[in-house]
Amino acid sequence: MATAHTATHSASAHDHHDDHEHHDNFITKYIFTTDHKMIGKQFLVTGIFWAIIGGLLSIIFRLQLGFPDMELYWLKPILGGWIDDAGKLDPNFYLALVTMHGTIMVFFVLTAGLSGTFSNFLIPLQIGARDMASGFMNMLSYWFFFLSGVIMFISLFIETGPASGGWVVYPPLSALEQAMPGSGLGMTLWLVAMTFFIASSLLGGINYITTVINLRTKGMSFSRLPLTIWAFFLTAVIGLLSFPVLFSAALLLVFDRSFGTSFYLSDIYIGGEALPNTGGSPVLYQHLFWFLGHPEVYIVLLPALGITSEIISVNSRKPIFGYKAMIISMLGITILSFIVWAHHMFVSGMNPFLGSIFMFLTLIIAIPSAVKVFNYLTTLWRGNLIFTPGMLFSIGLVSFFISGGLTGIFLGNSAIDIQLHDTYFVVAHFHLVMGSASFFGLMAGVYHWFPKMFGRMMDPRLGYIHFWLTFIGVYMVFFPMHYIGIAGFPRRYYSWTNFEFSNMYTDLNMFVSVAAIITFGAQLIFLFNFFYSMYRGRVASLNPWRSNTLEWTTPLHPQHGNWPGEIPTVYRWPYDYSKPGASEDFIPQTVPLSATPESNLPHEQELVKLEKAIIADEEEVLVANESKES
């Protein structure tokens, strides 16, 4: 383990932070702030808002699917003309609901709400930095995200409706304004909003990578980083390499829509009239989109897995099993995520030989994923488990990762995927392994780091109720979808009652819709707990979970700059829990090895001499500085 590292900001820089904090007003402290902690909270609250919107949209179209004969007059004051005179949901608006739900949950909640919150909040605190490498860029990343959200929100209220080509916005449906109402202004606003969102993600990613590489405190080698930081770092790398490809796909789509090009269009007939576009291919768009689309799965999963790694270790009171294997598995996932995108395109008519290559690569990615699951289970095994709400949500993530991942083996096989691709089997798999698992990682992180964010504790009893209702509800929603998907029940259909074979699943669809409504209602418990505890919750102690990482060494309400004095030096890895011979069941990273001779391992005894030399040098520098000041 290396011990010499980039030093953090000097004491003079810290004094500047204190002076800056003293003169902050409401606008510069809470709105246009450059403090990474406040920016993380901004991402979190904005993500919660979008989760409510995305969840409500899903409830509306689940009403249509579960109760196709229901009259929805009571929604007319909200949806206006999208409820017709017969009280039925307009088919075009149904597609818009599906499109906006997917876009909001994947990008605005699971990407920005998860990575934007915890990468911002935890990276400087856990590596020992005063702030992000660029506070101004960090502020811009949030406000680009906010502007993206405003534009997307406005699109919900335009006369022709929001974008309605699916969250993947495949051409030609998304490229021709005359294709359907949602292909007009709604699609234009979708593209503009996503452009700002991509800019936000790139600004954030550059900041995260730069901060982790350059601003680690003394002693914080890469081999001593918490797994959360490894996950955030690799997530930023994936986003930095893949989001520009989505931007290029969107840019070519704008050219086709507005400037008469034919990148994605060829031999199109509308109303019997041939359009002049020739030479393009909609499959090109699929290649570009899914080059981002599959890494996007891990852009939302890796932060959740990193959070889970930390919480499971802390609440098992055990070192994380296979620390290096966990890092290698995340590196493997990062690399493989870029070379499996075409398994989303098995039904696009691709060459079967090419399909077999992507099938092989897709199945290979199951190996690093299985390593992570194995290490989680072995960390839990015979641990002194503490079932906090954060721990329960972390275990729930592992459960979804296993059950959803097993169904991915079916879909990774091209021959089987051709039969299942356009059915609810894919919907169930996707929502379990990516949507629900990542959402549970987000919830686990909120419950675990809420004391550090707001200085108060959330009510654990409400947390337990929230977990069990959500955990059971998710399985009640998505398990039945696997069965109706295998039976051939099609996804994206507004009405399925005209098909005799699907009528037998009327009761099951109704069951899924009721379960979805109950699961959404359970989130209201979390909302109350979150906002009530923010102001009225029990005041937290400095280290309520008895954790080893650096963020718990800051004051209860850390100011801009995080530590009031010198930034602590790191002497050990972050998972020294229940170490044989130790007087406590946790040893923080800031405790020197020389202070714990009774529990040091043989290789750690060798580092004590080097550590003493470093401490002596620090004391000499401190004495010299005091002499100069006097």
Side-chain angles (χ1 to χ4, degrees), residues 338-358:
F338 284 101
I339 53 177
V340 299
W341 77 88
H343 68 224
H344 296 273
M345 300 168 55
F346 285 150
V347 295
S348 66
M350 70 162 56
N351 185 300
F353 176 73
L354 187 61
S356 66
I357 294 174
F358 278 98

Side-chain angles (χ1 to χ4, degrees), residues 272-451:
E273 178 184 353
L275 300 185
N277 307 86
T278 58
S281 170
V283 177
L284 170 62
Y285 176 87
Q286 292 191 36
H287 279 290
L288 294 174
F289 179 88
W290 287 115
F291 192 82
L292 168 276
H294 194 78
E296 173 66 20
V297 171
Y298 297 102
I299 288 173
V300 303
L301 260 177
L302 278 181
L305 293 172
I307 288 169
T308 295
S309 302
E310 176 72 14
I311 295 174
I312 285 181
S313 180
V314 170
N315 290 286
S316 296
R317 312 312 294 169
K318 283 177 60 179
I320 192 75
F321 185 88
Y323 174 80
K324 291 182 179 178
M326 294 286 262
I327 295 172
I328 293 170
S329 67
M330 284 193 285
L331 286 168
I333 287 172
T334 300
I335 296 168
L336 288 170
S337 69
F338 284 101
I339 53 177
V340 299
W341 77 88
H343 68 224
H344 296 273
M345 300 168 55
F346 285 150
V347 295
S348 66
M350 70 162 56
N351 185 300
F353 176 73
L354 187 61
S356 66
I357 294 174
F358 278 98
M359 179 182 75
F360 173 74
L361 294 171
T362 298
L363 297 178
I364 286 290
I365 206 171
I367 295 174
S369 300
V371 169
K372 296 193 73 64
V373 168
F374 176 81
N375 287 358
Y376 289 141
L377 296 179
T378 45
T379 303
L380 291 166
W381 178 251
R382 293 189 175 181
N384 185 16
L385 303 184
I386 303 171
F387 291 108
T388 65
M391 179 65 155
L392 289 175
F393 274 97
S394 296
I395 295 172
L397 180 150
V398 177
S399 173
F400 294 145
F401 199 55
I402 293 171
S403 55
L406 288 173
T407 59
I409 297 174
F410 292 88
L411 297 174
N413 187 313
S414 56
I416 300 174
D417 180 71
I418 290 172
Q419 306 300 318
L420 296 176
H421 188 84
D422 284 317
T423 71
Y424 267 83
F425 190 92
V426 170
V427 177
H429 160 75
F430 178 82
H431 279 81
L432 271 185
V433 78
M434 177 187 171
S436 300
S438 301
F439 179 76
F440 268 51
L442 171 62
M443 288 293 104
V446 171
Y447 279 105
H448 188 75
W449 279 287
F450 189 90

